[in-house]
Amino acid sequence: MTRALTAFLLAFGLIAPAVAAPHQHDSDSAKAIDLLSQASDAVRHETYRGVIVYLRSGDADTLKVVHRYHDHMEEERLISLSGEAREVIRKGNKVTSILPNHRLVLVSEHPPKSLLGSVSHFSPKQLKANYKVVDMGTTRSAGRACRVIAIRPRDKFRYGYKMLIDSKTELPLKLDLLDHGKRLEQMMFTEVSFPKKISDSEFVPSYDVHGFRIVRHQAVHVAESASDAPEEQWKATDLPPGFKLAEDGVRQLTSKASVRQMLFTDGVATVSAFIAPAGLRAPLKGATRMGAVNAYGDIVNHTQITVVGEVPAITARRIAENLVQTKKAANKASPSH
């Protein structure tokens, strides 16, 4: 859910059509890219609460969200208002997911990943090379004036986006994920407010988890230097144009088994690769899809490779088929005589 770019429902009449005609000059494009950069920052640092609706694969989810940046740390609480009861509380790197129907609490640690997904991975430099940015004028969403920005892919390896950005706070209030103009997923605030402060009490779980089973997921260890990296290395020999390796880490599953996680991004979209011993889970070989999320699996020398992301199927497959294993170069001094 944290990486889904999702949203909503022009049919409800909550969003009026843009009133200004599209225009695209170099100066306008630069201003639009600057606005996207400000939106990326607002996702992490703005204080807000509201109600968000997600629409994907024909299903709609409604969530209450509370968010603040406090003491140099991002805090967020999500409460499901539809479907199965669930609650997610994030404080910095720590994420606690409460599933009351299963009497289960999941605790994990990983770098902050915003509710608005790829917005927080935004890179202006990479964006210019891989997308065309168009200022579509102004409109209203959730009763607030917004700027409409279209992000159009330059090739077949990525989806497009349309974002409605609040004119006062720069927070994205609506985000569409598009494939050749077809809406794949949508996210939209139906209610939003920007209080000056949010109290600590709003980040306290609403469920009494006494007696719940607690499952802790080990954090991914990211090597800080080449000497700190595992003996067995993996690299991508031929990434889709514009994609670069952003993160590379290992999570230890058992004393003898670990899973490597690699994150690739083009500055907007992100793709994750998971490399683990085959047999730990049901094997995946070939392509599969759920809504806008494409996955591709391959088994190489008793190793399961799984690549997944909100990107076209061709992108996931190309990354999976070009991950190769290498040996870390031995760095041993010759014995002296």
Side-chain angles (χ1 to χ4, degrees):
M1 173 174 61
T2 56
R3 287 195 182 282
L5 289 176
T6 41
F8 319 158
L9 302 166
L10 290 167
F12 288 160
L14 294 174
I15 295 184
V19 298
H23 54 281
Q24 181 72 1
H25 303 291
D26 288 343
S27 59
D28 295 324
S29 179
K31 289 178 181 178
I33 291 174
D34 286 343
L35 183 55
L36 289 174
S37 184
Q38 293 163 14
S40 177
D41 185 68
V43 165
R44 295 187 296 268
H45 296 114
E46 193 63 52
T47 295
Y48 56 89
R49 67 163 65 93
V51 175
I52 290 180
V53 178
Y54 280 85
L55 183 65
R56 53 184 166 187
S57 302
D59 295 325
D61 286 319
T62 306
L63 301 168
K64 178 181 178 181
V65 58
V66 181
H67 182 279
R68 71 177 180 181
Y69 190 76
H70 180 67
D71 289 340
H72 308 289
M73 182 181 297
E74 217 181 330
E75 296 179 77
E76 187 173 73
R77 181 177 171 217
L78 303 170
I79 304 169
S80 66
L81 301 179
S82 62
E84 184 175 341
R86 59 200 186 279
E87 189 168 329
V88 178
I89 298 173
R90 177 165 62 91
K91 186 173 183 178
N93 288 2
K94 184 178 179 180
V95 180
T96 302
S97 303
I98 303 172
L99 306 174
N101 292 355
H102 301 276
R103 295 181 63 81
L104 178 65
V105 178
L106 305 176
V107 181
S108 62
E109 291 195 22
H110 52 67
K113 294 176 182 178
S114 166
L115 172 69
L116 291 169
S118 298
V119 177
S120 59
H121 288 276
F122 175 74
S123 168
K125 184 177 180 180
Q126 287 180 264
L127 175 77
K128 293 178 184 179
N130 303 310
Y131 299 86
K132 180 180 180 180
V133 181
V134 180
D135 185 339
M136 300 292 292
T138 59
T139 188
R140 282 169 52 82
S141 181
R144 299 179 65 89
C146 296
R147 201 80 195 173
V148 184
I149 303 296
I151 306 172
R152 298 171 179 168
R154 295 187 183 275
D155 58 31
K156 61 184 179 181
F157 293 103
R158 61 211 91 235
Y159 292 137
Y161 305 83
K162 186 171 77 171
M163 192 182 304
L164 273 61
I165 301 173
D166 184 62
S167 296
K168 290 186 177 180
T169 67
E170 284 82 43
L171 183 74
L173 298 185
K174 179 179 183 290
L175 186 60
D176 290 354
L177 182 63
L178 307 169
D179 184 16
H180 294 92
K182 179 182 178 181
R183 201 174 280 114
L184 298 176
E185 294 187 357
Q186 299 176 303
M187 180 285 296
M188 184 173 70
F189 280 90
T190 55
E191 300 175 18
V192 65
S193 62
F194 299 90
K196 292 183 178 180
K197 292 183 179 180
I198 294 179
S199 68
D200 294 344
S201 63
E202 294 198 49
F203 297 92
V204 175
S206 57
Y207 296 99
D208 180 1
V209 298
H210 180 73
F212 282 25
R213 185 164 65 97
I214 299 177
V215 177
R216 299 182 184 276
H217 292 287
Q218 187 184 42
V220 175
H221 170 70
V222 179
E224 296 182 359
S225 65
S227 62
D228 191 33
E231 186 72 21
E232 300 292 343
Q233 297 292 292
W234 288 81
K235 67 177 182 179
T237 57
D238 186 21
L239 286 172
F243 281 88
K244 297 179 180 180
L245 178 65
E247 297 175 13
D248 187 2
V250 174
R251 173 181 289 142
Q252 200 69 33
L253 300 179
T254 68
S255 60
K256 296 182 179 180
S258 62
V259 58
R260 174 173 290 277
Q261 296 181 220
M262 306 172 75
L263 180 71
F264 302 91
T265 181
D266 67 353
V268 177
T270 58
V271 185
S272 296
F274 301 91
I275 302 168
L280 292 179
R281 296 181 179 176
L284 173 63
K285 193 167 179 65
T288 186
R289 178 174 181 171
M290 181 179 292
V293 176
N294 280 289
Y296 191 88
D298 199 5
I299 299 176
V300 179
N301 297 330
H302 307 292
T303 298
Q304 172 74 62
I305 297 173
T306 307
V307 175
V308 59
E310 285 187 332
V311 291
I314 188 174
T315 305
R317 178 171 182 169
R318 179 156 167 177
I319 293 174
E321 291 183 339
N322 285 282
L323 287 173
V324 298
Q325 191 175 32
T326 62
K327 285 278 190 178
K328 188 170 67 174
N331 190 19
K332 299 179 180 178
S334 301
S336 56
H337 298 284

